Amino acid sequence: MEISGIISAILIGIIIGVLGRLVIPGRQRIGILWTIGVGIVAAFIGSGIASAFGVADTKGVDWIEWLIQIGLAALGVAALDRARVRR
């Protein structure tokens, strides 16, 4: 992976993390850095899942891949929020 690919993955991860956070109703008690981290991880894992199902490279915008990534980010944000509440 080239440096431009890593930078674009980080930027996409930031967007995915913020969208995943917006999907969850209510207030989340995690910081923006955790949100970005979850988004980056969700972007990488979501891309892998989309590739496994053969929907990663389509003509136009890869809506299914985006939905998978946003769903994973929402799950990650919710899990971190719940873990933080228990402390």
Side-chain angles (χ1 to χ4, degrees), residues 21-69:
R21 189 172 179 146
L22 290 174
V23 170
I24 300 174
R27 182 172 184 263
Q28 293 82 38
R29 293 167 197 86
I30 63 171
I32 191 70
L33 291 178
W34 280 109
T35 302
I36 291 170
V38 167
I40 292 169
V41 170
F44 280 117
I45 294 173
S47 293
I49 292 172
S51 293
F53 285 114
V55 295
D57 294 321
T58 59
K59 294 180 181 178
V61 179
D62 298 325
W63 294 110
I64 297 172
E65 182 178 10
W66 275 83
L67 290 174
I68 292 169
Q69 293 170 338

Side-chain angles (χ1 to χ4, degrees), residues 1 3-4 7 10-12 14 22 24 34-35 38 43-44 48 61 68 73 80-87:
M1 184 176 262
I3 190 72
S4 62
I7 292 171
I10 291 171
L11 291 175
I12 294 294
I14 291 169
L22 290 174
I24 300 174
W34 280 109
T35 302
V38 167
F44 280 117
V61 179
I68 292 169
L80 275 175
D81 184 44
R82 295 241 184 227
R84 189 138 173 139
V85 169
R86 289 186 181 183
R87 285 186 180 181

Side-chain angles (χ1 to χ4, degrees), residues 6 19 21 37 39:
I6 293 172
L19 289 174
R21 189 172 179 146

